[in-house]
Amino acid sequence: MTGASGASRPAAEDPGAPGDPAASPVGEFELLERLAPRLAPDGPELPVGYGDDAAVIDLGGAAACVTVDAIVEGRHFVWELSTPDDVGWKAVAVNVSDLAAMGADPTAAVVALGRPADLGASSVEALYDGMAAAAAHWGLDLAGGDVVRTDQLVVALTLLGRIDPARAVRRRGARPGDRLVCVGSLGAAAAGLELGIAGHRTPEPLLAAHRRPRGLVTAGRALADAGTHAMIDISDGLGADLGHVAHASGVAIDVWGASLPVPPEVWEAADALGKDPWSLVCAGGEDFALVAAVAPDDAAEVARRAGAAEGVPAAVVGEILESEGEPRVTLHLDGQRRDLRRLGYDHYRDDDPRDQGGPT
Amino acid sequence: MTGASGASRPAAEDPGAPGDPAASPVGEFELLERLAPRLAPDGPELPVGYGDDAAVIDLGGAAACVTVDAIVEGRHFVWELSTPDDVGWKAVAVNVSDLAAMGADPTAAVVALGRPADLGASSVEALYDGMAAAAAHWGLDLAGGDVVRTDQLVVALTLLGRIDPARAVRRRGARPGDRLVCVGSLGAAAAGLELGIAGHRTPEPLLAAHRRPRGLVTAGRALADAGTHAMIDISDGLGADLGHVAHASGVAIDVWGASLPVPPEVWEAADALGKDPWSLVCAGGEDFALVAAVAPDDAAEVARRAGAAEGVPAAVVGEILESEGEPRVTLHLDGQRRDLRRLGYDHYRDDDPRDQGGPT
């Protein structure tokens, strides 16, 4: 027999409370490491377990590549800059990007929609229009979902795709000597968001990059077919995401700043915002570019083909080196070196409308 | 070129605003019907599309049965009654129940966790402990997920299972003459929640039914193997969920009140709460019992076997009749008839900590 205990929400006495370093992304990554023992590693029925862009599940006769990313009001979009239609599109696109980073082929999605009381039915329809448009664009089925009342709009979309488990490209697998290939440009989404929030005039390509990102499925498949050793999509920022690759592959990574594909509007945006452009380029996040470790002889040609397949910039932007113990990601620029993982950390703020970096 | 428009969250000028009837479950079902054109119906690559307990996706060589349900603070649980561990368990169990209702075999889950700032790392670990315990209980892999900052705890869990698409049991398919079989008891979870919130002494079985529901996978498989014509799990309440079966199958349903499996504590709870016990039994929701339409000659034996397989009560509780136009679900009790769908509607309140009834 138990009555109401009078107990309230569990106390935030432990790391993760507001203002606590654990609420920062480094803390968040630490938290994810603390959670890892509860999650399933690779196994016979789980060819790719916890800790990659997507999991791969053996269903007996075929495998499903599956990922879930949630889009949250005030973190991944603001109503000042995005319509409900944009939000629906983005919920699909960010997940398409995760499957692209495995070399998978998106097939179907289900969505859990947390709907605040003041989001009217027409807005919900518009949000579904955006999801349906993205689903049509990438040739996948929107197969259903759940609607529940919440205080804040949350769109948690799960995407399934087809994959040959033996050919899934992972975060691990990068080899010393590999070249780093980047397909898609960097800094545009963060520049669009920051200019828009600050009320500056915002070039349409930057705003579009924030509002309606692309997921580079065709490039991902081209990179996988070319025998890419490791791959990730850039959601948290180049520094943080290459940190995952360095950690998973047990390597160091050099990035050549002058080679990174950065639209000219991003430099102008950094000027207008009075901020270090490299924080937009390397730590802004939500670029949904793909970065891949490719054997050195093939890299330039592989980059060219993958970029051409999507009509986006692509380049060889660095190289993989032997590990020196701790994972290291270094930006080389004008003869100087900067720690790219730290750049990501420095510019991550708790009020920043971005993800906290949960790997699937 | 576009600057910040100054526009705020889309206006709630349309149905769905607070106080609007559209915010009630009937309105919500109407909304889901308005959304349906954006969702994928059954097709060659989607053996079961929008509108069932789970979707079935053809992956070429095998199929995935997939469902997503979100557990939200203040709607599906309150911290006064549940620990983070309970919440994690429940997030898995409610989805297991959806797969059970298709006759599928749960295989792996991914989770999008919306974490409020004041939910500490230890509480998140406890929540994952609960998910891991449930995953172990049902023999599935917790394959990863996403963590994002939200104002309110949201656990959107997606569950995948194995299924033979040709044998998936759906909401449609109930035939006039079939008997209605119920496996699992009714009213306990709602009684536990309402007693607990009201601060009454709460019998442990009722509280456990609310906190840590069961998902009747073995019973679901037994019912599917027995050639069940239609099936659903009771999440929104017997009346609302049988309404879905009546609608999808184009039939009327009679429910025999005296035959429903109701634990004795539920009658006592209704007394203590001073409320109609049938609102707890038929509209309380979160029972996660299975109800199935079974050929009349087999029904009693099928019910007995499915209940025995799980160690839960099971009974023949009604019958399927020819449709009379509108879907109809009628409770027969002491010579009286009550409209079970209306009973569900009457007792659904916007501040009620339950789902708004999203089919997957």
Side-chain angles (χ1 to χ4, degrees):
Chain A
M1 302 275 183
T2 312
S5 67
S8 171
R9 173 186 285 193
E13 80 299 336
D14 51 8
D20 189 287
S24 76
V26 169
E28 210 58 52
F29 295 143
E30 282 169 14
L31 173 62
L32 291 168
E33 288 193 7
R34 283 167 66 175
L35 297 178
R38 285 93 174 167
L39 297 171
D42 296 4
E45 299 198 332
L46 195 65
V48 177
Y50 167 71
D52 233 297
D53 288 310
V56 178
I57 296 158
D58 183 0
L59 293 163
C65 189
V66 59
T67 186
V68 58
D69 264 338
I71 295 291
V72 176
E73 174 183 347
R75 295 203 76 82
H76 302 93
F77 72 91
V78 292
W79 288 125
E80 286 75 9
L81 299 179
S82 295
T83 64
D85 195 288
D86 292 333
V87 173
W89 174 283
K90 187 165 183 172
V92 174
V94 302
N95 283 288
V96 165
S97 183
D98 275 321
L99 287 202
M102 305 290 291
D105 180 20
T107 304
V110 293
V111 61
L113 174 65
R115 175 196 178 196
D118 59 352
L119 189 77
S122 299
S123 297
V124 177
E125 289 186 282
L127 194 148
Y128 269 71
D129 282 338
M131 288 196 290
H137 179 76
W138 282 294
L140 57 94
D141 286 324
L142 197 56
D146 183 36
V147 179
V148 62
R149 181 60 48 90
T150 49
D151 295 340
Q152 185 184 25
L153 180 59
V154 177
V155 189
L157 191 133
T158 301
L159 185 62
L160 275 77
R162 298 179 183 213
I163 197 163
D164 173 356
R167 301 186 65 186
V169 187
R170 309 190 58 167
R171 294 176 177 185
R172 69 179 72 160
R175 303 173 193 170
D178 282 350
R179 292 295 181 270
L180 194 67
V181 164
C182 179
V183 181
S185 55
L186 300 174
L193 174 62
E194 296 203 19
L195 284 176
I197 286 177
H200 287 290
R201 287 181 74 240
T202 309
E204 189 53 40
L206 301 189
L207 209 50
H210 163 68
R211 284 174 168 160
R212 293 174 86 90
R214 301 181 57 172
L216 305 179
V217 174
T218 308
R221 221 150 34 206
L223 288 162
D225 288 346
T228 287
H229 297 150
M231 182 154 53
I232 196 166
D233 75 315
I234 306 303
S235 52
D236 296 335
L238 183 68
D241 288 318
L242 283 182
H244 296 314
V245 173
H247 183 80
S249 297
V251 297
I253 302 178
D254 277 354
V255 175
W256 308 329
S259 301
L260 291 173
V262 180
E265 295 93 338
V266 171
W267 308 116
E268 295 158 18
D271 266 353
L273 293 162
K275 72 184 296 179
D276 179 358
W278 296 98
S279 74
L280 293 175
V281 171
C282 298
E286 297 204 331
D287 303 300
F288 304 111
L290 297 174
V291 287
V294 179
D297 292 348
D298 305 334
E301 177 60 12
V302 166
R304 193 193 61 72
R305 281 195 200 159
E310 295 275 4
V312 298
V316 177
V317 300
E319 66 183 315
I320 311 299
L321 301 161
E322 294 281 354
S323 172
E324 300 134 17
E326 278 295 285
R328 175 180 70 70
V329 184
T330 305
L331 177 68
H332 292 257
L333 190 68
D334 301 332
Q336 305 230 309
R337 295 159 167 252
R338 297 176 73 172
D339 178 347
L340 261 191
R341 299 177 82 201
R342 191 127 278 279
L343 189 64
Y345 172 74
D346 288 346
H347 290 272
Y348 198 104
R349 305 183 310 275
D350 188 48
D351 60 349
D352 199 326
R354 285 174 302 183
D355 202 288
Q356 294 185 45
T360 289
Chain B
M1 302 272 183
T2 312
S5 66
S8 171
R9 173 187 287 193
E13 80 299 337
D14 51 8
D20 189 295
S24 78
V26 169
E28 210 59 53
F29 296 143
E30 282 168 15
L31 173 62
L32 292 169
E33 288 193 6
R34 284 168 65 175
L35 297 177
R38 285 94 175 166
L39 298 170
D42 297 5
E45 298 197 333
L46 194 65
V48 177
Y50 167 72
D52 233 299
D53 288 310
V56 178
I57 296 157
D58 183 0
L59 293 163
C65 190
V66 59
T67 187
V68 58
D69 264 337
I71 294 291
V72 176
E73 174 182 346
R75 294 202 75 82
H76 302 93
F77 71 92
V78 292
W79 288 125
E80 285 76 8
L81 298 179
S82 294
T83 64
D85 195 287
D86 293 332
V87 173
W89 174 283
K90 188 166 184 172
V92 174
V94 303
N95 283 288
V96 165
S97 182
D98 276 321
L99 287 202
M102 305 290 291
D105 181 21
T107 304
V110 293
V111 62
L113 174 65
R115 175 194 178 197
D118 60 353
L119 188 78
S122 300
S123 296
V124 177
E125 288 186 283
L127 193 148
Y128 270 71
D129 282 338
M131 289 196 289
H137 179 75
W138 282 293
L140 58 95
D141 286 323
L142 197 55
D146 182 37
V147 179
V148 61
R149 180 61 46 91
T150 49
D151 295 340
Q152 183 184 27
L153 180 58
V154 177
V155 189
L157 190 131
T158 301
L159 185 62
L160 276 76
R162 298 179 184 213
I163 197 163
D164 173 356
R167 301 187 65 186
V169 187
R170 308 189 60 166
R171 295 176 176 185
R172 69 179 71 159
R175 303 170 194 173
D178 282 350
R179 293 293 181 271
L180 194 68
V181 164
C182 178
V183 182
S185 55
L186 300 174
L193 174 61
E194 297 202 20
L195 284 176
I197 286 177
H200 287 292
R201 288 181 72 240
T202 309
E204 190 55 40
L206 301 189
L207 208 51
H210 163 68
R211 283 175 169 160
R212 294 174 86 91
R214 300 181 58 172
L216 305 179
V217 175
T218 308
R221 221 150 34 206
L223 288 162
D225 289 346
T228 286
H229 297 150
M231 183 154 54
I232 196 166
D233 75 315
I234 306 303
S235 51
D236 296 335
L238 183 69
D241 288 319
L242 283 183
H244 296 315
V245 173
H247 182 80
S249 296
V251 296
I253 303 179
D254 277 353
V255 176
W256 308 328
S259 302
L260 291 173
V262 180
E265 295 92 340
V266 172
W267 308 115
E268 295 158 17
D271 266 353
L273 293 162
K275 73 184 295 178
D276 178 358
W278 297 98
S279 73
L280 294 174
V281 172
C282 298
E286 298 204 331
D287 302 300
F288 304 112
L290 297 174
V291 287
V294 178
D297 292 349
D298 305 335
E301 177 60 14
V302 166
R304 193 194 61 73
R305 279 195 202 157
E310 295 276 3
V312 298
V316 177
V317 300
E319 67 182 317
I320 311 300
L321 302 161
E322 295 282 354
S323 171
E324 301 134 16
E326 278 294 285
R328 175 181 69 71
V329 184
T330 305
L331 177 68
H332 292 255
L333 190 68
D334 300 334
Q336 306 230 308
R337 293 159 169 253
R338 297 176 74 172
D339 178 349
L340 260 189
R341 298 176 84 201
R342 190 127 279 278
L343 189 65
Y345 173 74
D346 288 346
H347 290 271
Y348 199 105
R349 302 184 313 273
D350 188 49
D351 61 346
D352 199 327
R354 284 175 301 185
D355 201 287
Q356 293 183 46
T360 290

